[in-house]
Amino acid sequence: MRTGDGVPDPVAGLRLDRSSPVPLHRQVAQWLEAGIASGRLPPGTRLDNEVALADSLGLSRPTLRQAMRYLVDKGLIVRRRGAGTRVGQPLDLPAPVPDSSYDELRRAHQEPTTRVLSLTAGPADAATARTLAVPAGSAVLTVERLRAVDGAPIARLTNWLRVGLLDLDAGELEHTGLYATIRDAGIDLHAARQVIGARPATAAEAELLGTEPGGILLTMERTTYDQHGTPVEHGRHVYVAARWSFEMSLLTP
């Protein structure tokens, strides 16, 4: 759907869930973020008519402004005097998929071991459904793994994938990486978006990872996309900070 001036309607198809614990401004932001990642809202798309957007969704202008501010803070949209608000250029969009920890360890001539803690199918909660761009309640696979090197646990890995995307076997996942399994199924992991942080370990995490409660864990959330901009999987991982670090190559604009 396009607006009267030929610009794609950025909120076409969005149905706000006013009973959800997810704030309305975050629901709008997540919808727009998914549209940017998928290419539905390509770079340069104008988003400057906030009054019309708020009215079409039945929202107050401050609520809509919160959503836009969230996207500006993430670098997904840009505001420039005289040019209005637009979707950012490709430099601001998902980068090529980084290697998995399994691939990185093998490249460093180490032998990672993996224990599958669980592999289950069940309905997606609202946040996971939005991230994977599927209807709330859709069936998703959840796989939880413990990765170790030389007997020392380094990470607990949790991933969500749409049911039917590929067949996952717990035994296979203990001998190869998830990304390799996805690629072997003919799925192109074309781009990714990730957020890295840190927090203290809970008692349960400390016991699983062989560290102290309150010890520092590195956190990483990553969503991968195929060549069409469709989300493939979403991961939420924690790493023992004393046993893992993230290395990135950056290009200057």
Side-chain angles (χ1 to χ4, degrees), residues 73-90:
D73 290 344
K74 293 192 72 172
L76 298 177
I77 64 175
V78 292
R79 283 173 167 156
R80 292 193 176 95
R81 183 173 298 177
T85 303
R86 296 176 181 266
V87 174
Q89 294 302 312

Side-chain angles (χ1 to χ4, degrees), residues 78 80 89-93 249-253:
V78 292
R80 292 193 176 95
Q89 294 302 312
L91 183 64
D92 304 314
L93 302 182
S249 297
L250 304 176
L251 297 176
T252 58

Side-chain angles (χ1 to χ4, degrees), residues 11-108:
V11 294
L14 172 57
R15 298 291 181 268
L16 295 173
D17 183 356
R18 298 177 187 273
S19 64
S20 170
V22 179
L24 293 174
H25 76 272
R26 184 59 64 86
Q27 292 184 44
V28 175
Q30 289 173 337
W31 175 268
L32 293 173
E33 183 175 0
I36 293 168
S38 69
R40 178 172 56 83
L41 299 175
T45 299
R46 294 204 310 271
L47 301 172
D48 47 354
N49 195 342
E50 295 183 7
V51 174
L53 290 178
D55 289 346
S56 69
L57 294 171
L59 295 175
S60 67
R61 295 177 194 176
T63 298
L64 197 283
R65 288 194 196 102
Q66 276 187 284
M68 305 301 276
R69 189 180 308 118
Y70 174 84
L71 296 172
V72 169
D73 290 344
K74 293 192 72 172
L76 298 177
I77 64 175
V78 292
R79 283 173 167 156
R80 292 193 176 95
R81 183 173 298 177
T85 303
R86 296 176 181 266
V87 174
Q89 294 302 312
L91 183 64
D92 304 314
L93 302 182
V97 179
D99 286 335
S100 68
S101 59
Y102 184 91
D103 296 330
E104 291 183 30
L105 289 165
R106 291 295 300 272
R107 192 169 56 249

Side-chain angles (χ1 to χ4, degrees), residues 27-213:
Q27 292 184 44
V28 175
Q30 289 173 337
W31 175 268
L32 293 173
E33 183 175 0
I36 293 168
S38 69
R40 178 172 56 83
L41 299 175
T45 299
R46 294 204 310 271
L47 301 172
D48 47 354
N49 195 342
E50 295 183 7
V51 174
L53 290 178
D55 289 346
S56 69
L57 294 171
L59 295 175
S60 67
R61 295 177 194 176
T63 298
L64 197 283
R65 288 194 196 102
Q66 276 187 284
M68 305 301 276
R69 189 180 308 118
Y70 174 84
L71 296 172
V72 169
D73 290 344
K74 293 192 72 172
L76 298 177
I77 64 175
V78 292
R79 283 173 167 156
R80 292 193 176 95
R81 183 173 298 177
T85 303
R86 296 176 181 266
V87 174
Q89 294 302 312
L91 183 64
D92 304 314
L93 302 182
V97 179
D99 286 335
S100 68
S101 59
Y102 184 91
D103 296 330
E104 291 183 30
L105 289 165
R106 291 295 300 272
R107 192 169 56 249
H109 306 292
Q110 300 188 65
E111 288 298 327
T113 58
T114 305
R115 176 159 61 96
V116 175
L117 304 174
S118 66
L119 176 57
T120 59
D125 61 29
T128 301
R130 274 190 294 273
T131 300
L132 293 178
V134 298
S138 296
V140 295
L141 288 175
T142 304
V143 55
E144 295 186 84
R145 295 164 294 156
L146 178 67
R147 181 149 293 152
V149 174
D150 296 329
I154 59 170
R156 188 200 69 200
L157 313 171
T158 306
N159 296 81
W160 292 267
L161 305 91
R162 297 193 309 276
V163 166
L165 187 66
L166 74 163
D167 293 326
L168 288 181
D169 177 77
E172 181 181 358
L173 288 174
E174 294 195 343
H175 296 93
T176 190
L178 177 61
Y179 283 5
T181 301
I182 292 173
R183 290 182 172 116
D184 287 347
I187 300 170
D188 177 24
L189 295 178
H190 181 72
R193 188 185 308 283
Q194 69 179 19
V195 177
I196 295 172
R199 62 170 174 79
T202 66
E205 289 170 334
E207 181 177 2
L208 180 67
L209 295 169
T211 188
E212 294 296 322

